Amino acid sequence: MQREWMIVAAMAAGTLITRFLPFILFPAGKEKPRYLEYLGKTLPYAAMGLLVVYCLKGVNFLGPSHGLPEILAVAAVAALHCWKRNSLLSIGIGTVFYMFLVQAVF
Amino acid sequence: MEKNDCSAFRYAFPKTVPVLVGYLFLGAAYGILMKVNGFGLVWTLAISVFVYAGSLQYAGVSLLAAAVHPLYALAMSLMINARHLFYGLSVLEKYRGIKGYKPYLIFALTDETFSVICSEGPPEGMNRVAVYFWISFLDQIYWVAGSVIGCLAGGFLTFNTEGLDFALTALFVVIFTDQWLTQKDHRPALTGLLVSAACLAVFGADAFIIPAMAGILAVIVGLERTDRKKVETACRENG
């Protein structure tokens, strides 16, 4: 159990570092480098693309299901969201749809 | 001050309702995952209060279940949460000069709180800091409450939870889609998606995040150069 608590402490420390670092590196009064503004405007979008890929990294396209449940469910979430623009609806229905696919279809 | 705080709360609460719904749902899914992996209320509560980072907490379920080395857990935390560096950079100006509450505001800057704070400009005369505080604090209450509810309910679950963790993937697909629909310039989003996918294909699932982040930074620096040159050329042409 001690090891598990150390994992929790490591997760807390890692999170604190990533959240506080910008404020420590660029305290009030210190001028920000020019490219930082551009990064602040573009990185949040790139980071979300990275996160989507990160979530799907375990999908095996050569496996028995060929990644079809993931492809179908992601497409359903994106399509539903374009249509209704309701985050909860998209996430809720997408998750139930995915659970149905992996449990009952594939 | 008291009255001002009260009006700040009344102003902040409606802004957080989408997060309320999302966090209760995703938090509950997290609590259930923790419970079915053998980690009960104390673990779930402690992690939701002190770590408070959704995607890392989901990944943390498997880190805990596999009892990995704490240093590996730290490296994973830094990688998964690296995007928070960008959020911090984006609100540096907004949080400049705030006293007292600032450490908590920075601690509680999750993806969702960031998105609400970012789109937030409280009306003149209202205590701006109190609004930021309430948005941040309410969001964390929703997350903690959701995960506790999930953890408690998880003990009574009799249905098959396989695939439930897709809720997190769905959340990111939703945020990605939202950003795509509201942004004119799709190059940053495409960069994130394509560079990451390429790095995943080349380096494999266990080692792709660091090269992907480096690649994304490189492409974005390149985009910045191109944009700056375009602006400079346009300025010259217009005299």
Side-chain angles (χ1 to χ4, degrees), chain A residues 49-50 53-54, chain B residues 190-204 208 212:
Chain A
L50 170 69
V53 174
Y54 173 79
Chain B
L190 281 175
T191 301
L193 213 53
L194 298 179
V195 171
S196 307
C199 287
L200 175 61
V202 174
F203 297 98
F208 84 100

Side-chain angles (χ1 to χ4, degrees), chain B residues 12-40:
Chain B
F13 174 68
K15 312 271 175 196
T16 66
V17 168
V19 183
L20 164 72
V21 181
Y23 270 13
L24 282 181
F25 184 79
L26 289 166
Y30 171 71
I32 292 169
L33 270 179
M34 284 289 280
K35 186 74 190 175
V36 297
N37 277 281
F39 294 93

Side-chain angles (χ1 to χ4, degrees), chain B residues 95-132:
Chain B
Y95 284 0
R96 183 146 291 177
I98 292 177
K99 299 266 181 292
Y101 288 124
K102 193 168 176 181
Y104 179 74
L105 293 181
I106 298 172
F107 162 79
L109 199 59
T110 59
D111 304 73
E112 288 74 13
T113 301
F114 168 73
S115 66
V116 177
I117 297 260
C118 247
S119 55
E120 197 37 62
E124 203 65 22
M126 187 173 284
N127 185 343
R128 184 173 64 89
V129 180
V131 171
Y132 295 155

Side-chain angles (χ1 to χ4, degrees), chain A residues 1 3-4 7 10-11 15 18-20 22 32 34 38 42-43 45-46 50-51 54 81 88 95 98 103, chain B residues 21 43 52 67-69 77 80-81 83 86 103 106-107 160 162 167 178 183 188 196 209 224 227-228:
Chain A
M1 278 302 107
R3 180 162 200 140
E4 279 83 353
I7 294 172
M11 286 162 60
T15 307
T18 54
R19 287 191 182 148
F20 276 86
K32 284 196 291 178
R34 178 179 47 81
Y38 192 83
T42 51
L43 276 181
Y45 304 103
L50 170 69
L51 270 177
Y54 173 79
H81 199 65
L88 178 72
T95 305
Y98 179 76
Q103 290 181 18
Chain B
V21 181
W43 294 92
Y52 187 40
V68 298
H69 195 282
S77 311
I80 296 175
N81 283 334
R83 66 189 191 286
F86 310 150
I106 298 172
F107 162 79
N160 184 353
E162 190 195 350
D178 250 343
Q183 281 290 309
S196 307
I209 290 206
E224 197 265 347
D227 283 2
R228 191 151 39 91

Side-chain angles (χ1 to χ4, degrees), chain A residues 24-81:
Chain A
I24 294 166
L25 288 180
F26 305 102
K30 195 176 164 188
E31 206 180 314
K32 284 196 291 178
R34 178 179 47 81
Y35 58 83
L36 266 188
E37 199 187 332
Y38 192 83
L39 285 182
K41 270 190 283 187
T42 51
L43 276 181
Y45 304 103
M48 212 48 70
L50 170 69
L51 270 177
V52 170
V53 174
Y54 173 79
C55 284
L56 298 169
K57 71 183 161 86
V59 178
N60 182 3
F61 292 99
L62 304 172
S65 70
H66 301 287
L68 271 178
E70 286 79 12
I71 294 170
L72 290 174
V74 166
V77 170
L80 194 58
H81 199 65

